Each structure stands twice: as structure tokens, then as C-alpha cells.
Amino acid sequence: MKNIYPGLFDDLPFSPDDIVCGVDEAGRGPLAGPVFAAAVILDPARPIVGLRDSKKLSEAKRDLLAPQIRAHALAWAIAEASEEEIDRLNILQASMLAMRRAVEALSTVPTLALIDGNRCPVMTIRATAIIGGDDKVDAISAASILAKTARDAALVRLHAQYPEYCFDQHKGYGTKLHIERLQLHGASPVHRRSFAPVRNVIALFGGQELAA
């Protein structure tokens, strides 16, 4: 694969023949649901217009770009780490686990992973962390979009199972509405017990949780 990122990696150990995947996660901050990650190897012969940090795109734009990424990329994969893994490992390590799973699930084995942020998961291939990479590197932007849209879709499915929490509206983030519903109904099986607002509500309910 030729270097499709001219200039940006001049100071990094990067070969023009590297097979590069971009990696990003979605859902570190929410109080409920898994953390998702995606890995994408873009096809330089099939550029995708409009890629950028998923947080800077509207939901409609993300939903438009996600199928283009899946159709045009050389390879892509989405993975997750569960609420139980988040509580057991902590959210940082669970995010690293989800990112590693996404890279390992790619149908094409990359030689270099470009990770959004300042830390890299432990993997068998080379990895480089890029702060703000989801708005600098198209492959990371693409991964950001796939991870975000996959997680949003998962939370809509959780809403069908637990409609009292309105997951379809806040996607698990600690909004006023979510906190109100959490305090009213207690914690569901998909809430992250290691996060303080959930832990506090469980304590208020005397350690009782909503049955599955």
C-alpha cells in the first residue's frame, strides 16, 4: 500500500508499503452499554469525501458515511467490550481491549495501526497513537464513524429492551433525562456499576438492581 497520508507521517517510522489501519473507539463516557471500537483500512483508489471526527458530524451525516466506508474500504471491523468487562478492567483497559479486537478482526492483516488518542493497545503489530487523529487521519475518522454509528444502533436496540431509560435519546450518556430515569428505576443489567452515578443509585436502592 502506498503512502496515502503524505507529509503527516514524515517524522514517524512509516513505510510507503505499510498496510495502515485507523482505529478509534466510541462510548467511553456513557453510564450504560458496551464500549465499541472500529478498525478501517481505506482503499486509496476509492476515496470517501467528508470523513472527519464523528463527533463533529451530524447523526444524518454519520449515517450517510458509514455505509460508504463499509462499501469502499479495503477492510473494516467493529468490536466491543461489554459492561461487565468495563467494570472488571476499567473503562480505559476495556477500550484498549475493544480496539485490539477490532484490529484482530480485520480480514486484511495490517502492518501499522494508527490509534486515536495518546495510548495504544498491546498488539502484535506496530501501533502509533495520534492525539486528535480522528480529525487528522482519514482512516481514523472512518473508524470513528463506524464505532459511533454501531454503538448508537446498539443503544437503540437496548431501548427496545429497557424503554424506561430512553436509551434511544441519550445513548447512555449521563444526561439529565438519563439520571432522572436511573434514579426512578434503579440500575439495569446494562448499566456500568463502576461509574459513580450508577454506583450511587444502586446504593440508594439498597443494593437492589433491576432484574434482567
Side-chain angles (χ1 to χ4, degrees):
M1 179 184 240
K2 299 303 179 186
N3 183 3
I4 58 173
Y5 314 110
L8 182 58
F9 303 109
D10 289 348
D11 59 342
L12 297 177
F14 176 77
S15 163
D17 294 318
D18 266 321
I19 300 173
V20 178
C21 71
V23 186
D24 200 6
E25 53 74 29
R28 282 196 188 188
L31 307 179
V35 59
F36 276 69
V40 178
I41 302 174
L42 290 176
D43 184 350
R46 305 183 75 185
I48 302 168
V49 177
L51 295 176
R52 64 179 310 189
D53 176 5
S54 65
K55 296 185 292 296
K56 297 181 179 180
L57 296 170
S58 67
E59 182 176 0
K61 185 64 172 177
R62 291 194 299 266
D63 289 341
L64 181 67
L65 286 168
Q68 294 183 47
I69 296 165
R70 292 192 291 267
H72 295 167
L74 290 174
W76 62 271
I78 299 170
E80 63 184 84
S82 68
E83 303 87 359
E84 185 277 331
E85 289 172 319
I86 291 169
D87 290 335
R88 175 164 51 86
L89 300 173
N90 74 47
I91 185 57
L92 173 61
Q93 294 306 317
S95 299
M96 295 291 111
L97 176 61
M99 288 192 283
R100 190 189 78 204
R101 285 171 173 167
V103 172
E104 291 175 348
L106 287 167
S107 58
T108 298
V109 179
T111 60
L112 174 65
L114 303 179
I115 313 292
D116 180 57
N118 60 2
R119 298 181 186 225
C120 294
V122 176
M123 296 184 293
T124 57
I125 64 169
R126 289 162 36 236
T128 298
I130 302 175
I131 295 174
D134 51 3
D135 215 24
K136 295 176 181 176
V137 182
D138 279 358
I140 301 178
S141 300
S144 171
I145 292 165
L146 288 191
K148 174 62 174 169
T149 53
R151 188 179 190 281
D152 284 356
L155 268 291
V156 171
R157 293 193 294 273
L158 286 179
H159 171 71
Q161 190 173 358
Y162 304 104
E164 61 271 28
Y165 296 99
C166 302
F167 287 137
D168 61 329
Q169 296 185 46
H170 51 68
K171 305 303 190 295
Y173 285 89
T175 65
K176 180 181 179 181
L177 172 62
H178 190 184
I179 296 298
E180 288 174 350
R181 295 306 178 98
L182 187 58
Q183 292 173 341
L184 179 62
H185 298 288
S188 76
V190 298
H191 277 96
R192 302 173 179 178
R193 278 132 188 78
S194 57
F195 281 44
V198 180
R199 192 169 62 243
N200 293 341
V201 164
I202 291 173
L204 287 174
F205 275 69
Q208 297 299 310
E209 302 175 18
L210 185 68

